[in-house]
Amino acid sequence: MSTPPKPDRPAAAAAKASNLDPAARDRALQLSLWEAGLWGLMVGCGETYFLATAVALGASPLQLALVVTLPLFLGAAGPLAAIRLLGWLPVRRPAVVTIAVLQAINLLVMAWAEVAAVSTPWSLIGSASLHQVCAMGAGTLWSSWYGDLVPENIRGRYFARRNRGSQLALFAGLALSGGWLQWSAGAGGGPLDHSAAGLGFGAIFAVAALARLASAALLSRSPEPRFGGLASLGQSARFLGTERGRNATRVLVVGGVVQLTTYIASPFFVPFMLEELSFSYLQYMAATAAVVAAKLWSLPAWGHQIDAHGAGTVFRTAVLMVSLVPLPWLFIHGLGGVLLAQAFSGLSWACYEVAFFTLLVESTYRRTRPYVFATQNLFNGTAQLLGSLIGAFLLGQLGLSFRAVFGVSTAARVLVSTVQRRWIPRPTERPPEARSHRLILRAIGFRPHAGLALRPASLDESDGDGGAGDEHRPAAM
């Protein structure tokens, strides 16, 4: 027997939609479908190749670590600044458009630096950091905007459709960029010859910039409903003193420790493929596509497991799976093994992210979640930076091999998976919006170890009613 909907939910949905006429809302929804494709093209041609660029530039272990994790650490300031902005700015569209244009300009500067042969690992780190601060700040504002705009009764189906377009564009950008880099580097002898590949990197970053500029143009033409506001910072601070708030804190701590042990190895899988395994750009592209495809394909299945067994149980399994991700890399010697290892990584991180966010939603309330998720970004960014510095120290100062660092990361992850079981809360109350089939995830960017990074789709984490087959499909921004 199905449970009838709460009587206040249709009223709330109607209130959200009432401040935009249907024609304006429909125009915004249609423009957003095209914008999602442009966003996917930017990611496929841009940030998926940042780390490969660093390898071609001859980056040191420390620089390889920082090109991945310093942007994530600094990027954590983006959501905090966005929430601060939402506290006094009644509109979100101008800020999102401005940030998107700044991202495009940054990518154009990166393209120019590659073509002019003035790019260095340190300049790449700076550009990647600016890119990530913009991405995370714009994503928070966009989530608030479209969380208010998309009608609740179509939210799941709409974001699923939007995501399919962004996925296709991302894979197209990934494949075309890999092919172009392979061709442009061919005359110089391979991926490690940056003098031959510089023009290739410049071209794909320019395409990414143009895609983001076009995305900004569509965003500027999209109507925006009125903003309903957030809970105050004081209310959110008081929430942390409640039982549910303490549960949320434990989830955040466990998540941070998982990220720390993960990033001991995460920045070094790409240089391992390009340097030690001597992969071509086409092989690197295939390996990257494998982790993205496996993650997106498995999300609905993990969601059903959470509905059947609970987020806490699935999260414990996910942490164990994630702890085993580096293990195959201790023995891999060719493309076939890498594709299998990448597929397993995608499956593991899909399980981890949907379970983690469902568990965090169970432990929070709607109006306090923006602050909790901003805190989560800060926890993760700090842990990722520290983990990568440990890995860089092991490689650069102690002279360990890539495989030895992967082994250290595996051991640390297994230890965390053993200890975390006593920390994961078992909520006595499970709010309706925490049911995983209502948790709509959006892609916020690319991570070398896990493909597309996912976050809940709307700032207040309100639930949606997707149709069959639409569950857990990430939307893009």
Side-chain angles (χ1 to χ4, degrees):
M1 179 180 297
S2 60
T3 304
K6 293 183 178 180
D8 61 330
R9 284 180 56 191
K16 278 190 174 183
S18 63
N19 53 57
L20 272 185
D21 65 83
R25 185 190 64 206
D26 292 345
R27 183 170 73 254
L29 296 177
Q30 187 62 41
L31 288 173
S32 184
L33 294 177
W34 289 100
E35 191 271 331
L38 292 166
W39 179 92
L41 184 62
M42 177 196 69
V43 174
C45 294
E47 60 191 276
T48 54
Y49 287 96
F50 284 178
L51 191 49
T53 307
V55 174
L57 287 169
S60 68
L62 176 61
Q63 291 167 331
L64 291 171
L66 292 180
V67 80
V68 175
T69 58
L70 187 60
L72 297 177
F73 174 74
L74 297 176
L80 294 172
I83 289 175
R84 180 71 175 173
L85 188 65
L86 288 173
W88 59 271
L89 186 69
V91 292
R92 295 149 290 189
R93 179 174 60 182
V96 173
V97 173
T98 300
I99 294 171
V101 170
L102 181 58
Q103 259 189 312
I105 293 172
N106 183 52
L107 286 164
L108 282 174
V109 171
M110 294 176 69
W112 168 81
E114 290 294 323
V115 173
V118 296
S119 180
T120 68
W122 291 113
S123 68
L124 179 65
I125 291 167
S127 295
S129 297
L130 178 58
H131 179 88
Q132 197 61 244
V133 171
C134 290
M136 296 178 75
T140 300
L141 294 167
W142 181 91
S143 292
S144 170
W145 174 3
Y146 274 81
D148 288 347
L149 189 146
V150 181
E152 189 173 344
N153 63 328
I154 67 166
R155 190 170 293 160
R157 292 189 298 275
Y158 175 78
F159 280 122
R161 180 184 175 193
R162 188 178 188 277
N163 179 63
R164 283 191 286 270
S166 69
Q167 289 176 40
L168 289 174
L170 186 149
F171 277 107
L174 181 65
L176 292 174
S177 297
W180 171 253
L181 288 172
Q182 181 66 31
W183 178 84
S184 61
L192 302 183
D193 186 349
H194 186 261
S195 62
L199 179 61
F201 285 116
I204 65 173
F205 292 160
V207 171
L210 293 175
R212 193 50 166 161
L213 278 175
S215 161
L218 293 182
L219 288 166
S220 70
R221 296 179 56 196
S222 301
E224 176 191 355
R226 289 192 300 271
F227 176 49
L230 300 173
S232 69
L233 184 58
Q235 289 174 310
S236 299
R238 288 193 295 273
F239 159 74
L240 294 177
T242 66
E243 180 181 357
R244 184 172 282 184
R246 288 189 291 271
N247 282 346
T249 300
R250 287 198 293 271
V251 175
L252 292 176
V253 169
V254 171
V257 175
V258 168
Q259 294 297 322
L260 186 149
T261 58
T262 294
Y263 274 79
I264 293 173
S266 178
F268 307 110
F269 289 119
V270 172
F272 175 75
M273 285 187 278
L274 295 177
E275 293 179 359
E276 188 155 330
L277 298 183
S278 300
F279 273 16
S280 68
Y281 284 119
L282 286 178
Q283 290 172 314
Y284 168 71
M285 178 271 294
T288 303
V291 68
V292 174
K295 186 173 188 177
L296 295 175
W297 172 78
S298 62
L299 281 170
W302 291 125
H304 291 306
Q305 290 300 309
I306 291 171
D307 288 337
H309 303 291
T313 299
V314 175
F315 183 75
R316 294 179 184 91
T317 301
V319 174
L320 177 60
M321 292 176 66
V322 164
S323 72
L324 301 177
V325 164
L327 192 59
W329 294 85
L330 304 180
F331 315 103
I332 284 171
H333 291 284
L335 179 61
V338 167
L339 293 177
L340 291 175
Q342 289 285 79
F344 177 69
S345 179
L347 293 172
S348 302
W349 283 104
C351 180
Y352 177 90
E353 289 185 10
V354 72
F356 177 84
F357 287 115
T358 302
L359 195 61
L360 202 55
V361 167
E362 288 181 357
S363 303
T364 55
Y365 297 101
R366 287 189 180 188
R367 287 175 63 81
T368 59
R369 282 173 198 149
Y371 298 99
V372 172
F373 281 104
T375 303
Q376 181 252 338
N377 286 327
L378 189 61
F379 268 54
N380 280 4
T382 303
Q384 289 160 346
L385 179 61
L386 291 175
S388 72
L389 292 177
I390 293 171
F393 177 79
L394 295 175
L395 279 170
Q397 300 301 313
L398 297 187
L400 270 61
S401 67
F402 285 122
R403 295 184 194 270
V405 171
F406 300 157
V408 171
S409 179
T410 302
R413 296 188 206 195
V414 170
L415 178 62
V416 171
S417 72
T418 302
V419 174
Q420 57 89 26
R421 293 178 175 272
R422 67 187 65 182
W423 274 71
I424 300 303
R426 303 175 188 272
T428 56
E429 177 188 357
R430 195 178 192 205
E433 70 269 21
R435 292 198 295 269
S436 69
H437 70 278
R438 295 179 183 270
L439 184 64
I440 303 168
L441 300 176
R442 64 182 176 92
I444 63 167
F446 179 80
R447 304 290 181 265
H449 69 287
L452 287 174
L454 306 176
R455 294 293 182 273
S458 62
L459 189 64
D460 65 0
E461 318 310 331
S462 58
D463 51 312
D465 298 320
D470 291 344
E471 308 93 328
H472 314 290
R473 302 297 180 88
M477 168 53 205

